[in-house]
Amino acid sequence: MTNADAATAASILTIDLDALVANWRLCAAQAGVEAAAVLKADAYGTGAARVGPALAAAGCTRFFVAHIDEGLALRAALAQVLPEAEIGILNGFMRGTRRLLIEERLAPVLNDEGEVREWLAISADLGQPAPAYLHIDTGMNRLGLALADLTNLAASPEMRRHPWRGLISHFACADEPGHPLTELQAGRFRQAAALLPGTPLSLSASSGIFLSPDYSLSFVRPGAALYGINPQPSRPNPMAPVVRLEAKILQIRDIDANESVGYGAAHVARRPTRVATIAAGYADGYPRSAGARGSAWAGETALPILGRISMDLITLDASDARTLRRGDMVELLGPHRPVDQLAEDAGTNGYEILTRLGTRYQRRYIGRSAATGA
Ligand SMILES: *Cc1c(COP(=O)(O)O)cnc(C)c1O
């Protein structure tokens, strides 16, 4: 537990670090090669300062984040458990960050030809190769070197001599089995790899790992799957649930048929209804777009969501849960309502649900792995 105690908690976010570690092991087993771990956006909202040490204690040695600031925070969090951890910065190297990157041994993922040339100049200046990755864009057209850029660069001996920590690329459609872009990207990646023989290669993130081991190469880079998101939405989810969100019932009231509930009178009761109002809302990252969709859960009883989601409150149909009392907790996310289900109800994906979870919840880390980094 991090702050205050259960009595003061309006809502509790529980993160099961053993489940997370098990998911990382499953990714590595499925891929058959080293699994790095992607902890950008504060470990997809679950708390990099706790997730990093738990994974390091389990044997993970390579991590990726998006921003340099995230890398610095992770370096500090890993100082006791694994000071030599490799931390890659996906967003690359920006002017004015050289000293920090070198001192804190953060390895930028270089995305741009100019960026690569600057990094080679820095290495020449230091008299030793500064650690970095290369990112080649094979069809996402978002971030990364074009194949032509890499071809230009590979003409220089310093480029070919540099011991790159890895050459990576990222799939656009690996969550859709059979999508033609995946093989096209893999083919372009093989062409790029041929320009820098001996460089470790990495192509798959969560979806790629569970699409095919053909894309495992030297190491894989799971993010979403670690946190329990289904890497292949068209198949049953092999990942263990990591996040559980519960909120406290603030009030229970009985309303007559034809009474309305909440803003916009958006829900009108068809029958006499017991309404439970709970302490969570869109200010906590519960999506407003999931109003009137899906259910919260009290044990095995579904409590359908009634009407609109308010800033701090959600209203539930508790007619079938007569034993519920003010102060009881109900489940909004967890084994009965997986992240992917809430995402579907909200018209988004699990990534957005997790990364928007607010800071208002009381956070608890459970599992034996929670002993590290506490
Ligand atoms: C975010 C990201 C990952 C992790 O992707 P998931 O789908 O969350 O597994 C891996 N590699 C790169 C380059 C990324 O940006």
Side-chain angles (χ1 to χ4, degrees), residues 81-156:
V81 195
L82 190 68
E84 69 279 18
E86 167 116 355
I87 301 176
I89 310 293
L90 292 167
N91 284 4
F93 162 55
M94 288 291 154
R95 196 162 299 123
T97 61
R98 164 187 169 159
R99 190 185 54 81
L100 264 182
L101 288 170
I102 301 292
E103 275 177 18
E104 297 295 326
R105 295 161 291 123
L106 303 176
V109 179
L110 307 176
N111 294 302
D112 168 273
E113 193 176 335
E115 212 182 342
V116 177
R117 294 197 191 280
E118 278 182 66
W119 198 255
L120 288 170
I122 287 170
S123 298
D125 206 26
L126 291 170
Q128 55 176 6
Y133 293 82
L134 298 169
H135 183 180
I136 166 124
D137 192 304
T138 50
M140 192 90 157
N141 288 310
R142 191 179 64 166
L143 202 58
L145 295 156
L147 193 54
D149 301 334
L150 189 66
T151 308
N152 282 341
L153 285 163
S156 94

Side-chain angles (χ1 to χ4, degrees), residues 215-308:
Y215 307 126
S216 292
L217 310 179
S218 314
F219 66 92
V220 292
R221 310 183 311 272
L226 304 177
Y227 311 102
I229 291 173
N230 190 351
Q232 285 296 338
S234 60
R235 303 181 197 151
N237 189 358
M239 313 319 296
V242 169
V243 172
R244 184 183 168 99
L245 174 60
E246 297 159 286
K248 197 172 269 180
I249 297 176
L250 299 175
Q251 192 172 27
I252 293 177
R253 66 195 324 120
D254 290 297
I255 63 169
D256 295 332
N258 301 319
E259 284 288 321
S260 67
V261 180
Y263 282 119
H267 176 82
V268 178
R270 262 181 265 133
R271 51 170 182 151
T273 303
R274 176 159 289 191
V275 178
T277 301
I278 61 171
Y282 60 76
D284 304 287
Y286 191 94
R288 188 169 177 277
S289 53
R293 292 203 183 84
S295 299
W297 291 79
E300 299 303 313
T301 308
L303 312 170
I305 290 168
L306 298 178
R308 293 190 188 160

Side-chain angles (χ1 to χ4, degrees), residues 181-194:
L181 186 53
T182 302
E183 252 315 300
L184 193 66
Q185 288 193 270
R188 289 173 178 162
F189 190 64
R190 282 189 285 272
Q191 274 179 274

Side-chain angles (χ1 to χ4, degrees), residues 38 40 44 90 142 168 170 205-206 221-224 351:
V38 178
K40 60 194 178 191
Y44 292 48
L90 292 167
R142 191 179 64 166
I168 76 164
H170 196 52
S206 300
R221 310 183 311 272
Y351 298 68

Side-chain angles (χ1 to χ4, degrees), residues 315-333:
T315 37
L316 306 171
D317 184 343
S319 304
D320 295 337
R322 312 302 292 189
T323 57
L324 276 184
R325 294 286 169 268
R326 195 168 78 88
D328 289 348
M329 301 294 270
V330 301
E331 176 191 323
L332 282 168
L333 263 183

